[in-house]
Structures are given as C-alpha cells and as structure tokens.
Amino acid sequence: MLNRRAFLLGSAAAVALSSNLAGHALGQMPPSRTRQLGARGLSAPIEIIDDPYGVPHIRAQSIPDAFFGQGYVVARDRLFQIDLAHRRELGRMAEAFGPDFAAHDETARLFQYRGDIDTELARVPGNILAAARGYVDGINARIDEVLADPTLLPLEYGILNIRPLKWDLRDLVLAREASLGNVEDEIRRARLAALGLLELDAVIAPLRPQWTLRTPEGLDAAAVSEADLGVLDLGRLPFDTLRPAPDPAGPSTAALNRANAGSNAWTVGPQRTATGRPILTNDPHLGIGGFGPRHVAHLTAPGLDVIGGGAPGLPGIMQGHTDRFAFGRTNFHIDQEDLFVLELHPDDPERYRHGGVWKRFERAEISIAIKGAPTKTITARYAVQGPVVSHNPAKRRATVIGAIDLQPGACGAFAMIAINLSRDWESLKDAFRFHPSPTNFHYADVDGNHGWQVIGFVPERRKGDGLMPVPGDGRYDWTGMRNFRALPGEYNPAKGWFASANQNNLPPDWPRDRIPAFSFRDPYRYERIARVLSAQPKHSVADSVALMHDTLSAPAQQLIAALPARGSADAERAIAMLRGWDARLERDSGPAALFEIVWRELGDRMLALIVPEKARELVTQIAPSLLLQLLARPDARLGADPAGARDALFDAALAAGWRTASARLGADPAAWRWGTLHQLRIAHPLASIPAIAKAFPAIEGEGSGGDSYTVMARWARGAPGWAVSGGASYLQVIDVGAWDNSLMLNLPGQSNDPRSPHYRDLYGPWSRGEMQPMLFSRAAVDARAVGRTLLQPAE
C-alpha cells in the first residue's frame, strides 16, 4: 500500500507554480488554493478549474497525472461513496461496522479474483496501467489530505467513527462484484418446471428472441429452491443495526447502486442533422434515490482531452467525448452467469462428481477482521466452474456460480482508460478487448462517421442455453469466451441514424446458436425513438433534448385504444378522463396519474386471473406486452368466456383506479397530478441512522413525469407508492466537433457533501428538463470558472 501525506503550502508555492502553467490568465481567475502532495504518483504540477456546474477541468502535463487529477477530484466530491463501495468489494465492512457485516464480507471475499494478479496486470499495456496507477494515487492523495486536516473529512466519518481505506492498484484486479446476474431467473424457471407450469415464465419474462424453454437433461428441477442461492441471498447490508433505536419511518437502505438496468442512446449522422455534424445522445438508466451513479470530469494532457460522466471509483470516463469523437453506451444483454448443481460424495462432502470422477474442492481459509470481536476464519470452496455459494452435505448438494467477471482477462477496471485514450474507430477496437461487460457502444467523430458495436465477453457453453440451473458434472461447463468480434455492429448506417434502448437489436439473420441472451427489454422506448428520428430529416441538439424528455407512452396509447365503450359508475368516470388524453405522462397531467393507478390494478388483477395460486410466489408481475395483448385479444387463459372475463376485469380495474385516485389525490379530478405521486426524493443510503439523516438532509420536493416505458425513463417504485426509483440521472447531448454546444445534466449535483453548493444544484433543472452547458474549450471554461486548485508534488 502506498503511503502519502498531504501538506498545506503558503503563497510562495503558488507563485512558483504559476510560472509552470504558462498561457493561463491568472488575473482573470478566482483566488487559488495550493496544495503540495507528498505522492510519488504526481510527477508535475496540475491545475483544476471548477466551473459553475461543479465540473472539475483537470489540466496536466502527462496522461497519468491527468488521471491522478480525476482520482483526486472524485475523492474530493464523493469520498465516502467510493470508500464504502471499495470497502464492500474488498470484504472489509465488519472491521469498521461490527459482526453483523461479517457474512457480507465472506461473500465478497469468496468472489474475489483467485488467479495471479501480476499476470492480469501484465496483460494491460503500460500506458493504461500508468493511468490507472495515477487514478489510485490521486484518491490516496486526497485521503492523506483529509486525514492531515480532519475538518476536510466528509461528515459520515465523524458520525460513524471510521476512517477511509487507502487504495492499491492491485485492488482494481482483486475486487469483483458478487452478482446474482440472471441466476434468480434460472431458479424461478426450474421451480415452475417442477410445478409443470414452465409456460408461465412467459408471463413475467417473455424470452427475446423467442425460444423454447426446456429443462436441462440431468437436472432435478424439483430439488431446486431459493436455498441454492446460498450466500448470494443475504439481503441488504445491515446498517439498521447501527441505529440507537428503531425508525420504521426511515428511508430504505437498499443497495447503494443497481446494475446497469437500461439506457437510451442514439447517433445521428451529418446528412440528417441541422448542423451537418453528427449528434450523439445518451442517458444511462440506473437507480435513483441514493448516491448519484455518475461524476463528471474533464481530463486534459498531451494526447488526452476527454470529458463526461464516470463511475465514481472507476478510472476514466464512461459517457462523453474526447477532442476527436463522442461516445455513449446502453446495456446490451449477454448471459454471463450460470448456476451449476453439484452432487457431493456420500462419504466425503469435500468431493464432488465431475467428468466421471470425484474431485476435491479447492479450499481457501479466509480471515475476517471484526470490530469489537475476534477475527473470524471461514473456509471458502471452489469447484472447476467457480465459487461454491451453497454447500449442503445433508442433501449431498452444492451450488456453484460460473461468472465472466471471475475469468482471467475479464477485469473491466481498465476499459474506460483504454477507450479514453483511443483516437478513432479502429483504435477503439483494440480498447474493446478490455471491456467484458455487455454494452451497446455508440460512436460519432469529427470526420462525420458514426457507428455502433456490441462489446462484452460471451461464455462458450459446452451444452445448454443458460436459462436454467444445470448439472455441474461437466456436461454443461464453459469451454472459453468470445469477445466483441463475435457480436453485431454497424458503421455509418445507410438510414443515417442508429439507436439502442435495450431492445432486441440482434440482426434478423443472427445465428440461433450464437444468441448471447434472451432477456432483451420491451421495445417501447426504442420504437418511439425510431419513429421520431425517422421523421426528422434535419435533427438538432434541441430535438435530441426534446426526445430525451419525451413522455409519450405506447402502453397508454394501447390501453386507451382498448377502453370499453361503457362501464360501471366509477369506471365510466375513468373512461371519460382517459379517452380524451394524449397518452403523455407529464408530471402535471391528471389522466397520467389515473393511468398509472389503473395500470397497476390491471396487472394485479390479470395475474390473479391467469396464474394459479401455487405459482403466484414465483410469477409476481406481468409483462406489459402480455397484459396489453390480453386486453386487446382475450384468449383461453382468461377462462371459458375470455371476452366476458376481460370486460369484468377491465371494468373493475378502472373503477378501483378511480377510487384510489380520489383517495390519494383528492375529490377534484381537475387537481390530480402524476407528479404528486411520482415524487423525486434523494436521501443518503445510510439515512436509517438518525445522525446521518440529520447531517444529510433529503433532497426532495419535486415531482416527475415519465415511467419505465417512456423515453424519459423515470421508473415508478412498486406498491404502495409511485415514487421515482430509477431512470436517467446523467444525460448528455453532444454536438460533435462544436463541443461547447454540448449539454448535460447530473442529478442531483456533483458533490455528496451538503456543505457544497453542488450538493443539490442540479436537482431542480433535472426535474424540469433544463439541460446545462457541457463546457469544453479552454476559453469557455476559463470564462465561466468559479474555482481553481493547483496541485504539485512535494519538493
């Protein structure tokens, strides 16, 4: 672990440093703060200019120093966020928070990389490795700084009586996420198969592309249960145990970050834009309600000029642009996890059947340090497929997770650096080999080109389709991985634009034996984007902004079309309000609120009608496409009289929706508003601890439009409320080549510190759809600068 100290310097150092930053008009800049950092990672002075939106613009004399600056500023703005995530990934929660966290540490340690870290680092080119080292050094430099001056520590540390962990480059390779992936889906399907109701899986998760589900040969579906998840089923981190008293009204302490669950992106070529330049638009959809999942920064050095949103704790920029090209991403679908079921030896539970012989588990003894308690030693087991998550000698059964993340060469920590250092489409193809996670990568450059490439690693299965648990006896093992060259892409498409919104975008003639997953999303967002782009011969930045905030709902349109001519008294009122509605989920719309309430009623009632009681624990929601299909064309699933059953169900849902709206929103329908229900509240993830809740006031007061199926994705939380639970918290529209015309938003602001002016400054603009400038050129940044920090190495 690198050891660094931070020291405050006087004005003499500032004068000395200013001479090293030639060409900067110091007289036009705000007063500077100067720090000397005793860190080997910083080789020359760097300058950080903060703009009015909280974006730090880092100016360095080398690429590693630019990434040092990124590490420093993300730790300046988000230290507790990245420290908590880092501590969790390293399995070091219990040493800070006590015994209740030990089980979570055990799981994190189980899923750490077990191969040779030096070999993994040797796979990475030296320039990329140097940039990653710079990023880690920058984080550590800020940690040294706040430890030397505790007044700079984020407030959480004093409340929780902890100190931040120092980082090490090797941690980027060691730490891997313990993820369920689609394993829960595999277990659900097996349990439905055991009930003889496998066809009901299409109610909750229709396969896209279409596929016939079959129970894998050799799998005893009746033996599969939630217990097979083992240590992956621990639930949320137990921060509630740190509270001095129960607080049932406190906010949820659900997962701090969700896996990438969606996103929209589109590129429009110069022949179809008003400016004659490409436009690239992107808005990643992630959980909303806790820490912001993106931090915006601008890194400049000879050979590097990149700005955009990065994931706090991960070096590099994920969405944004360089001085040569713009880039964005949405979630593609690759099934990268499998659950293997092992048979244990009847006399020795440390052996399992594989390849016709009994093999012995690899075992590792792991020590867990625990605050206030003795160190705990646990035994982790590994089979040929991966870590053992459940080991049950009494049933002679164990389960193992096979995951891409755990394979040699599948560390994604260096991928963003490689992408940021690329210069064009061809050099990006070399960078993609460092990117294991499934992504639609969007691209547009200053030469007028634009393209799309699916990137990510695809497991090669000896047998099976990855849709259910499989026997771990060797028949279904993975035999290798395929990279992005086995996945689709397009360059300068003839239609002049390309879009992805998590829909099935495999080409129609894609080989059936090379389908990477069957979990593509409903196409509603994509179809709306495609209709708009197809109809705009001269697309503009303003058009992209409007489309990002488009609230037209295809499910609402289809529901309106299916409305009955007449209904019962309360249903008649609902029908009258919905029939004249434009199907836009605006926050000030009363019909939008009624629609969302009725939609939930329809889903619940349809599930109760078509799903037998014994399967309702497994089939807990209905796919919107199926719900709309059954409303428009009722079939035998609704009983002996499908049309009659549909009519009765529809009427009951409309009537119940009207009554619920009246109870929740008031007796006057003219005063109903979707935004009254669809509230946007952001609270500290540990706000169940009263002292945290007091120190970090919730950011709230605004309602939102949209839902999960509108282009302006704003997911609605499940019952009993409709609060915003996720969607596009970071948004960008890039005018390629005319970079200063580009726009962005980052909810709720750049800083997690309530003492900062950037704690919530973008909350209002985000809720109103008011995009902010994405300043890039030196002149534009300097003209709007509000803060300046100079960093230099210790003498």
Side-chain angles (χ1 to χ4, degrees), residues 316-334:
I317 300 301
M318 296 190 74
Q319 286 111 343
H321 70 80
T322 71
D323 56 334
R324 292 287 307 165
F325 64 85
F327 56 99
R329 60 182 55 235
T330 67
N331 190 33
F332 187 71
H333 293 257
I334 301 175

Side-chain angles (χ1 to χ4, degrees), residues 318 329 331-332 334 336 404-405 410 412 415-416 434-440 454-457:
M318 296 190 74
R329 60 182 55 235
N331 190 33
F332 187 71
I334 301 175
Q336 295 185 322
I404 284 291
D405 285 348
M416 297 308 108
F434 298 103
H435 197 294
S437 61
T439 299
N440 290 293
V454 175
I455 55 180
F457 295 175

Side-chain angles (χ1 to χ4, degrees), residues 182 185 208-209 260-263 330-337 436-440 452 454-459 487-488 500-506 510 514-522 525:
N182 72 336
D185 294 335
R208 300 184 179 95
N260 190 351
S263 305
T330 67
N331 190 33
F332 187 71
H333 293 257
I334 301 175
D335 183 354
Q336 295 185 322
E337 295 88 14
S437 61
T439 299
N440 290 293
W452 153 74
V454 175
I455 55 180
F457 295 175
V458 183
L487 295 166
S500 67
N502 318 115
Q503 82 285 6
N504 175 15
N505 55 4
L506 292 171
W510 193 254
R514 286 174 50 202
I515 295 174
F518 300 90
S519 53
F520 292 92
R521 302 297 177 85
D522 288 289
R525 286 183 287 116

Side-chain angles (χ1 to χ4, degrees), residues 36-37 46 118 180 218 229 231 236 385 483 550 573 662 676 686 725 739 743 771 785 795:
Q36 178 175 341
L37 304 178
I46 64 174
D118 291 330
L180 284 171
L229 291 174
V231 298
R236 65 191 186 188
Q385 300 94 349
N483 65 18
D550 187 277
R573 298 182 180 93
S662 299
T676 303
L686 307 188
S725 63
W739 306 116
L743 302 169
M771 301 289 285
E795 296 178 0

Side-chain angles (χ1 to χ4, degrees), residues 80 83-84 87-88 91-102 105 109 156-157 159-165 239 241-242 368-373:
F80 184 74
D83 182 40
L84 189 63
R87 186 180 288 277
R88 183 178 185 180
R92 297 182 62 181
M93 299 290 287
E95 70 180 42
F97 301 114
D100 293 313
F101 293 78
D105 285 350
R109 300 286 186 91
E156 294 99 334
Y157 291 98
I159 294 169
L160 299 172
N161 192 28
I162 61 172
R163 289 293 180 266
L165 287 177
F239 279 103
T241 62
L242 303 181
I368 307 292
I370 302 175
K371 180 180 180 180

